[in-house]
Amino acid sequence: MTLRVMDYKATLNLPKTAFPMRANLPKSEPEMLAWWDSFGIYKRLREAGADRPLWILHDGPPYVNGHIHMGHVLNKVLKDIVVKSRTMLGFNAAYVPGFDCHGLPIEHQVDKELGLDRPGVDVRQAMNPVEKIARCREYARGFVDIQRDEFRRLGVFGDWDNPYLTMAPAYEAVIAREFGRLVGRGLVYKGLKPVHWCMHCKTALAQAEVEYEEQRAPSVYVKFPLETMPPALAAELKGRNAFAVIWTTTPWTLPANLAIAVEPSQSYVALDVTGEVHVVARARLEDYQRVLERASKGTVQVTPVTVGLHGSDYVGSTYRHPWIDRRGQIAGADFVAMDTGTGLVHIAPGHGEEDYELGRALGLKIYNPVDDDGRFVAEVEHFAGLTVWEANPKIVDLLRDRGALVAEEILDHTYPHCWRCKNPTLFRATEQWFVALDQQSLRTRTLDAIRRDVRWIPAWGEERIFNMIAHRPDWTLSRQRVWGVPIAAFYCAGCQAVLLEQAVIEHVAQIFGGGRGIEEWYLRGEEELLPPGTRCRQCGGSVFRKGTDTLDVWFDSGCSHAAVLETHPDLRWPAELYLEGSDQHRGWFHSSLLEAMATRGAPPYKSVLTCGFVIDTEARKMSKSVGNTVAPEELLPKYGAEVLRLWVAAEDYTDDIRVSTEILDRLADAYRRIRNTFRFLLGNLGDFEPARDRQSYARLDEIDRWILDRLARLIGRVRRAYEEYEFHTVFHSVHNFCAVDLSSLYLDVIKDRLYTSAADDPRRRAAQTACYDIFAALARLLAPILTFTSEEAWRYLPGVRTESVHLERFPEAPREWLDDALKRDWDRLLEVRHEVAKALEAARAEKLIGSALEAAVRIAHAPEDLPALLRAKRDLLPTLFIVSRVDLDRAQARASVTYESQDIPGLVVGVDRAPGAKCERCWMRSERVGENAAHPSLCERCVPVVLARGGTS
């Protein structure tokens, strides 16, 4: 009789799913975006969360002057992970994105397009301001649309159809109104003070608009002849001349010198330098002598003349300017440093913050001989009409010619540069509008709130912003541009008195909000902008002219808490979280905090989370000039948004984050491992219907209960990590669970049960139950990060499910899943399994076995705690070790291969070839293979399954 050959592969329950192995993210992600749009995912989320507690991340608006870069990816994806995770934690987490639209970069770009950005053209007067504003609006609107599409491409959910724009008339009205609140509280003043000034952009700059870059510059030691001096020094010199020696890195400020500062408590020495007497601080003596030696090439002779005089002895002494017919005085100041220079500081009240404060205390003129173009005015002899940078070397030459130059050395140091044009700034006194930080205890109250009312993440952010607020000067609010919200100040035509009142500003704000916005300032005359009957408080006049200054753009975004949180129906004040890069401690975090503290007496946020910057693999900041930038638009066609999202989540974003193709390739591999885990789980749920097939916890195999214990602990760990914004912990925990607990252990162990059991075997259904719970948990836990893939895979989950995984909440593990006793047993069993794997590897090296299923394992010896545990788990050991047989009884004969564990002292594992033949269907070896004549190649486990499926009896 000829036996029929049967295809036993067809009798196996092999994985079957339509969930594709290849993600093809660049193609599938846009299709997913279109599907979300088709049913309005963001609106559905708001409807689902309507009855939940409100939780608000307030979006810091990106500036709309270009395509997004990797810093934007980091920022927006982090925010999206926060919002999605808070939603899945059970909150109503609304997200209203915003865009920052006013300001110099856009106005400058428009000037360039119009050909106005050239020497000799005052761009502020070169064209009708209404026309320029229209061009700026058009430019900004174009990049709002571009950036909105680019952010949506990343899978970021939000109210993209209704973002907030700082150029919207309603928002511009709030900006004006908030300025009016500051005025009403007496915090705004106009003053002549030194501020950062860009001679190229022709505007004042706030501290947040200044970047510090390396610059090579001349540093000079200059001697100022003393007219009067301390009596003790005069007596010692007996009529000889003496010089106060200063050091400066900005020779161009010397024409504005009006005083010299000394540190009153420091000791100063008088030196005979080849017949001249130089006065310097004792603490700087050695360095000064080295300067003299370098300048004279070692020929100088230096002899101390007198010691013991303090800076306070020199206070009140006078000197002559080196080349200008001007007398100055020496004053005491505690800011004089002893780590550089000579211990005597040249003071130009029109060119420095500390100089200004000292000048005011001395009653000096706040003298600034430099105009808006950075050129010296006509009264400056020798240098009139030259820019300060052109004059710098000429001033040094003049000092040398006049015999006033002691030494010149080239110095590399950091110097402030304009954030927009990247050119060096000037510190020069101009009339500007300021917020007085020390009025009404604004600074003190803000510092208290930083400590008391806000959680800073990471914690070092608290000290950073605290010190910035503590030591910053008054806030420079005004700018000399057109594309911004006008400062609603008026000037009496009769007496030139300033009219700046909250009621007047509120009237203007209503005009902005009810009309075209800031264009109304230029379209209307003063009589239309002012409330009826307005008169000058000083002379009673009724004719006014409107001011030309605009507000700092940091004030624009700093008002977003008022313009957005207080007005949007889905939001409220204050926000739970502000999240931006670490530079925003002096930017948006800073301006928002000061504005809110000034107008509402409380911070606009409860927590502030800071992320680092994107850098390359050599820790260099991304820069076009360096050539190390990589644009998202270049990466998306290769990796898709999902791998970029994984990049954001995988690193500790509180530090700077590296990016490169090598890093993204590694993350793409990690992504594939997670995707393959999803596919394996779904493939083994192809015939599983939860309502019909689900098994109770009590009916699960022990290894199923073990994996659910592991899953329960993972769920707890991941939920806590999301709550604490530790997204790298989420990724690494889930990835490790997929790679180690599942792929390397559980899924490997249960393959036999899933594939070879009868389809409706309760033990197979038990394994499927565990797989179902694992997938349902993982898809939800990863949804905030792998937004596209979790959604895609969710569609293939059997049974009743929500339309979108993003409408789900995070899983909460049933209490019964957590089993500490089970965990303790399995921790120990897995240690033994690890050692058995080493024994099998040794047997494989000896050519005793190929597959582990060819092995019979014998635990020949075990430490005291193991025998009872192993006996109790005897039946599951072959499955756990994935071998054909496990013996716990000591045999007389020595095993073919013996392995003595080094990690578990006393454990000895023997390995032999398993007796019997290999089952053609399950590949286990059994001495009972061949008992069934119809299926002579099958073991006793497989025969009944095949017969039940219709095999020959």
Side-chain angles (χ1 to χ4, degrees):
M1 170 178 146
T2 303
L3 291 176
R4 183 179 59 175
V5 176
M6 188 167 183
D7 180 11
Y8 290 119
K9 182 178 180 181
T11 70
L12 297 173
N13 309 302
L14 296 178
K16 186 181 299 183
T17 179
F19 180 64
M21 179 185 298
R22 290 181 57 83
N24 196 12
L25 294 172
K27 178 178 182 296
S28 65
E29 288 173 346
E31 294 170 353
M32 186 66 74
L33 290 170
W35 182 70
W36 281 327
D37 284 344
S38 71
F39 68 90
I41 183 64
Y42 182 76
K43 182 181 179 182
R44 290 286 298 278
L45 286 166
R46 298 285 63 74
E47 292 169 352
D51 296 328
R52 302 178 188 174
L54 199 58
W55 194 96
I56 304 301
L57 182 153
H58 180 39
D59 188 35
Y63 198 71
V64 287
N65 66 331
H67 290 268
I68 69 171
H69 50 68
M70 291 303 289
H72 287 114
V73 174
L74 172 62
N75 180 286
K76 274 295 190 285
V77 171
L78 275 177
K79 291 175 180 176
D80 190 52
I81 294 173
V82 169
V83 173
K84 283 181 173 137
S85 61
R86 292 288 153 169
T87 298
M88 298 185 79
L89 282 166
F91 293 95
N92 180 12
Y95 177 63
V96 178
F99 295 95
D100 199 2
C101 305
H102 295 133
L104 183 58
I106 289 176
E107 186 172 350
H108 179 71
Q109 187 63 35
V110 168
D111 288 339
K112 284 174 62 177
E113 291 177 358
L114 295 173
L116 302 177
D117 187 32
R118 61 181 188 272
V121 175
D122 185 347
V123 294
R124 291 171 291 180
Q125 306 295 328
M127 71 179 295
N128 183 301
V130 175
E131 294 177 15
K132 176 176 276 193
I133 290 170
R135 293 293 293 267
C136 289
R137 284 196 188 280
E138 180 184 4
Y139 184 91
R141 198 173 294 114
F143 275 108
V144 166
D145 292 339
I146 288 170
Q147 290 190 4
R148 171 167 40 198
D149 289 344
E150 291 172 337
F151 288 138
R152 296 181 75 170
R153 175 64 186 84
L154 298 173
V156 177
F157 292 173
D159 192 2
W160 291 111
D161 293 334
N162 303 288
Y164 77 85
L165 309 179
T166 61
M167 67 178 181
Y171 195 115
E172 291 174 335
V174 171
I175 296 170
R177 185 169 293 115
E178 290 301 301
F179 175 71
R181 289 191 182 206
L182 296 179
V183 170
R185 286 161 173 74
L187 294 171
V188 177
Y189 70 95
K190 191 172 191 178
L192 179 67
K193 288 184 65 174
V195 296
H196 287 286
W197 180 270
C198 180
M199 57 188 267
H200 301 274
C201 299
K202 297 182 179 61
T203 186
L205 301 172
Q207 187 63 41
E209 297 170 314
V210 172
E211 299 173 343
Y212 287 84
E213 304 289 347
E214 286 294 322
Q215 175 174 289
R216 176 160 290 187
S219 69
V220 291
Y221 293 80
V222 182
K223 55 187 184 184
F224 286 66
L226 291 173
E227 266 196 340
T228 62
M229 62 190 76
L233 179 59
E236 186 72 31
L237 296 183
K238 298 180 174 59
R240 296 168 62 192
N241 293 329
F243 299 86
V245 181
I246 65 93
W247 173 75
T248 182
T249 59
T250 53
W252 64 266
T253 62
L254 288 171
N257 172 271
L258 298 181
I260 291 174
V262 294
E263 216 293 340
S265 64
Q266 289 288 327
S267 175
Y268 286 77
V269 298
L271 304 174
D272 186 317
V273 182
T274 315
E276 293 183 347
V277 176
H278 294 184
V279 176
V280 297
R282 174 192 284 276
R284 301 300 305 153
L285 177 57
E286 290 185 8
D287 283 345
Y288 185 61
Q289 287 177 313
R290 283 193 286 269
V291 169
L292 294 173
E293 288 171 4
R294 288 194 295 271
S296 67
K297 296 183 171 55
T299 62
V300 71
Q301 298 293 319
V302 179
T303 307
V305 174
T306 184
V307 295
L309 294 180
H310 286 82
S312 57
D313 296 317
Y314 285 89
V315 172
S317 299
T318 58
Y319 64 88
R320 302 294 303 178
H321 193 280
W323 78 84
I324 299 173
D325 185 15
R326 182 188 302 153
R327 173 184 292 156
Q329 63 177 303
I330 295 179
D334 58 9
F335 59 75
V336 177
M338 292 295 149
D339 55 352
T340 55
T342 63
L344 294 95
V345 176
H346 131 69
I347 299 297
H351 291 307
E353 180 68 25
E354 291 169 328
D355 304 47
Y356 166 80
E357 296 295 346
L358 181 59
R360 285 186 61 192
L362 296 173
L364 300 177
K365 178 182 179 181
I366 309 303
Y367 178 51
N368 166 36
V370 178
D371 67 15
D372 289 0
D373 294 317
R375 298 181 181 277
F376 282 108
V377 298
E379 68 188 65
V380 180
E381 189 179 0
H382 306 297
F383 310 112
L386 297 178
T387 68
V388 296
W389 308 117
E390 293 168 343
N392 238 5
K394 296 181 183 298
I395 290 173
V396 177
D397 290 341
L398 180 62
L399 290 169
R400 186 178 291 108
D401 293 343
R402 295 295 177 94
L405 183 68
V406 176
E408 176 189 11
E409 297 187 333
I410 300 302
L411 179 71
D412 291 324
H413 67 141
T414 57
Y415 190 82
H417 287 63
C418 173
W419 72 300
R420 204 283 308 163
C421 69
K422 309 303 181 185
N423 286 300
T425 65
L426 311 178
F427 216 58
R428 60 184 289 266
T430 61
E431 273 206 325
Q432 302 292 340
W433 292 99
F434 298 92
V435 174
L437 297 188
D438 295 309
Q439 288 289 322
Q440 298 184 20
S441 304
L442 175 57
R443 190 191 307 269
T444 301
R445 290 188 290 108
T446 303
L447 294 174
D448 289 343
I450 289 170
R451 296 284 198 225
R452 181 186 63 238
D453 299 331
V454 182
R455 180 189 177 198
W456 302 92
I457 311 165
W460 53 257
E462 179 178 323
E463 286 305 313
R464 182 178 171 87
I465 196 168
F466 184 93
N467 290 328
M468 287 178 172
I469 297 286
H471 302 297
R472 65 159 293 158
D474 286 348
W475 186 355
T476 310
L477 279 180
S478 46
R479 297 292 181 273
Q480 289 63 54
R481 306 304 296 180
V482 172
W483 180 227
V485 176
I487 291 177
F490 297 84
Y491 300 84
C492 176
C495 69
Q496 303 306 311
V498 177
L499 175 65
L500 188 74
E501 296 178 1
Q502 185 175 4
V504 172
I505 298 169
E506 175 58 33
H507 184 74
V508 172
Q510 291 179 14
I511 292 173
F512 287 173
R516 291 172 57 181
I518 60 175
E519 287 94 323
E520 302 293 341
W521 184 256
Y522 304 98
L523 289 169
R524 298 173 182 245
E526 285 81 355
E527 65 283 356
E528 294 181 84
L529 292 168
L530 288 164
T534 300
R535 289 192 171 275
C536 175
R537 300 283 187 187
Q538 298 210 13
C539 71
S542 59
V543 179
F544 295 86
R545 62 177 175 84
K546 54 194 173 188
T548 58
D549 293 329
T550 56
L551 283 162
D552 172 17
V553 290
W554 287 108
F555 189 76
D556 285 18
S557 57
C559 291
S560 65
H561 69 95
V564 182
L565 293 179
E566 290 185 340
T567 64
H568 197 288
D570 290 344
L571 308 180
R572 61 158 162 72
W573 194 102
E576 269 69 27
L577 185 70
Y578 277 32
L579 187 165
E580 299 297 334
S582 57
D583 57 334
Q584 296 308 309
H585 287 112
R586 67 188 184 102
W588 187 56
F589 300 155
H590 195 118
S591 61
S592 299
L593 179 61
L594 283 177
E595 208 286 329
M597 291 300 302
T599 58
R600 287 151 181 80
Y605 40 66
K606 298 176 183 177
S607 298
V608 171
L609 191 153
T610 305
C611 62
F613 294 103
V614 179
I615 56 177
D616 65 16
T617 52
E618 298 178 20
R620 297 176 302 177
K621 185 179 177 181
M622 292 289 183
S623 167
K624 289 182 179 179
S625 61
V626 176
N628 63 344
T629 57
V630 55
E633 62 198 34
E634 299 170 7
L635 299 174
L636 286 168
K638 179 179 179 181
Y639 298 102
E642 206 75 307
V643 175
L644 299 188
R645 294 179 67 92
L646 203 56
W647 164 72
V648 172
E651 302 295 329
D652 180 358
Y653 59 81
T654 60
D655 200 356
D656 292 341
I657 299 183
R658 287 172 164 80
V659 67
S660 68
T661 54
E662 293 79 11
I663 291 170
L664 294 175
D665 285 342
R666 288 198 298 271
L667 288 167
D669 288 340
Y671 168 79
R672 281 188 286 272
R673 281 191 288 274
I674 293 172
R675 186 180 182 89
N676 288 340
T677 302
F678 277 3
R679 192 167 188 272
F680 183 90
L681 291 167
L682 290 171
N684 284 288
L685 294 173
D687 65 341
F688 182 75
E689 176 54 52
R692 178 193 67 204
D693 302 322
R694 184 179 185 87
Q695 302 294 297
S696 68
Y697 180 79
R699 298 190 66 183
L700 301 183
D701 276 22
E702 188 168 322
I703 192 170
D704 302 328
R705 296 199 300 274
W706 169 78
I707 197 62
L708 292 182
D709 175 84
R710 298 289 293 169
L711 179 63
R713 296 176 196 277
L714 175 73
I715 290 169
R717 185 162 60 252
V718 167
R719 288 180 65 109
R720 288 190 298 273
Y722 274 125
E723 289 169 357
E724 294 299 317
Y725 312 109
E726 295 173 355
F727 307 131
H728 62 293
T729 299
V730 174
F731 164 71
H732 290 292
S733 296
V734 173
H735 181 260
N736 188 68
F737 181 79
C738 290
V740 178
D741 292 344
L742 292 181
S743 296
S744 296
L745 180 54
Y746 179 70
L747 299 181
D748 202 23
V749 168
I750 66 169
K751 282 179 184 176
D752 180 76
R753 192 172 9 141
L754 288 170
Y755 295 177
T756 67
S757 302
D760 58 355
D761 186 318
R763 292 187 63 245
R764 179 171 179 269
R765 295 304 191 194
Q768 288 181 304
T769 299
C771 288
Y772 178 88
D773 288 336
I774 291 166
F775 174 83
L778 292 181
R780 285 178 286 168
L781 292 176
L782 284 173
I785 297 171
L786 297 183
T787 285
F788 294 94
T789 304
S790 293
E791 185 75 285
E792 179 191 6
W794 187 255
R795 297 173 173 179
Y796 296 94
L797 181 67
V800 178
R801 50 180 167 75
T802 55
E803 186 174 10
S804 167
V805 71
H806 299 293
L807 294 169
E808 289 279 337
R809 294 196 188 189
F810 284 140
E812 295 185 38
R815 186 171 300 176
E816 64 183 355
W817 286 8
L818 284 168
D819 189 331
D820 290 338
L822 182 71
K823 179 181 182 301
R824 283 193 301 272
D825 286 349
W826 275 75
D827 286 348
R828 192 63 168 154
L829 283 175
L830 292 178
E831 291 175 5
V832 175
R833 184 180 191 266
H834 186 65
E835 297 307 299
V836 168
K838 294 178 183 178
L840 293 172
E841 194 57 40
R844 203 172 280 117
E846 294 286 336
K847 309 296 186 186
L848 176 67
I849 61 170
S851 163
L853 289 174
E854 297 176 3
V857 166
R858 184 192 314 162
I859 307 296
H861 296 279
E864 290 183 1
D865 67 313
L866 277 180
L869 176 63
L870 294 174
R871 282 194 298 272
K873 312 296 183 184
R874 178 192 292 269
D875 291 342
L876 64 81
L877 294 181
T879 302
L880 180 60
F881 299 159
I882 315 181
V883 297
S884 290
R885 179 170 173 170
V886 175
D887 293 316
L888 300 178
D889 301 320
R890 296 184 182 181
Q892 296 298 319
R894 182 177 177 85
S896 302
V897 172
T898 300
Y899 171 80
E900 294 188 20
S901 172
Q902 302 300 308
D903 294 330
I904 304 179
L907 178 66
V908 179
V909 180
V911 180
D912 292 298
R913 280 188 66 81
K918 175 182 176 181
C919 174
E920 183 181 347
R921 184 169 177 270
C922 72
W923 298 1
M924 295 277 282
R925 297 184 70 85
S926 171
E927 295 174 286
R928 296 181 61 187
V929 170
E931 287 184 352
N932 186 285
H935 300 284
S937 61
L938 299 190
C939 68
E940 69 278 13
R941 291 190 314 136
C942 291
V943 166
V945 177
V946 172
L947 292 176
R949 293 175 65 99
T952 305
S953 59

